[in-house]
Amino acid sequence: MTQNLVSLRLATDDLTAIEAALDSLEQRLTGLVGLTPDERRQLTKMGDKSEAFCRQAVVTLGKHSEVLPRNFDLDEYRADLAALDALRPIIARMQRLYERMVDTETALGSDVMVGSLEGYAHLQVSGRGDGLEGLREALGARFIRKRRQEPEPAPGI
């Protein structure tokens, strides 16, 4: 093979441990929610510029809770900010891991594709007369292009 971007071996023990770790994450993160696209669109979002405002509001409203209505849950408000602060580093770490997994998947797919093309090219040259014609034709089906059919003219034109 002329290309080998990545060499990854996942033993059964490794896969079992990874599945257990994912199970543990799912069990520990039971409070996570799933939003529909419509729900996401309708939410008021806190962007980078708004975050300073929100953090100052938590401090200010905490010091002057008497201005808030009775049904305003100040403890839940503070807990939401604390949970946001706790969740962000986990998201960043998982996002880096996810990106590396996707990149590795892409590299592995590329390695397999390059190896397959290289092997197929050798099969075309060296495999003649070795009883491999059927296999070569089966592999070659990947490269057969269907002709584009011309659209039929509309009747009466």
Side-chain angles (χ1 to χ4, degrees):
M1 245 178 24
T2 58
Q3 175 182 307
N4 190 23
L5 299 174
V6 62
S7 186
L8 177 67
R9 305 288 185 267
L10 294 172
T12 304
D13 290 349
D14 294 331
L15 293 172
T16 301
I18 291 166
E19 287 293 328
L22 291 172
D23 288 343
S24 178
L25 284 172
E26 288 174 340
Q27 290 168 0
R28 298 289 182 168
L29 295 170
T30 57
L32 298 180
V33 299
L35 301 173
T36 66
D38 284 341
E39 289 171 330
R40 259 186 233 107
R41 272 192 297 277
Q42 293 173 2
L43 288 177
T44 303
K45 296 170 185 84
M46 180 179 73
D48 292 338
K49 292 179 184 177
S50 300
E51 187 168 344
F53 161 77
C54 292
R55 290 184 181 282
Q56 186 61 44
V58 168
V59 171
T60 302
L61 295 174
K63 290 179 181 176
H64 303 284
S65 60
E66 69 278 358
V67 302
L68 298 172
R70 291 180 194 231
N71 65 348
F72 191 97
D73 191 342
L74 189 58
D75 290 334
E76 181 63 26
Y77 177 56
R78 289 176 177 149
D80 284 349
L81 181 60
L84 179 67
D85 289 340
L87 191 59
R88 280 186 171 161
I90 297 168
I91 291 170
R93 188 171 173 189
M94 289 186 71
Q95 192 165 18
R96 283 190 304 270
L97 179 62
Y98 174 76
E99 288 171 3
R100 288 177 46 217
M101 290 172 66
V102 169
D103 288 348
T104 301
E105 176 190 33
T106 301
L108 287 167
S110 180
D111 284 352
V112 171
M113 188 65 187
V114 167
S116 298
L117 291 170
E118 187 178 322
Y120 177 65
H122 288 290
L123 183 64
Q124 283 183 302
V125 173
S126 306
R128 298 197 186 274
D130 293 336
L132 299 174
E133 287 81 16
L135 292 173
R136 189 175 63 246
E137 287 177 17
L139 289 173
R142 182 325 189 168
F143 300 103
I144 295 174
R145 293 186 183 181
K146 292 184 179 179
R147 288 184 152 185
R148 292 180 81 184
Q149 293 181 349
E150 294 295 322
E152 294 185 27
I157 295 180

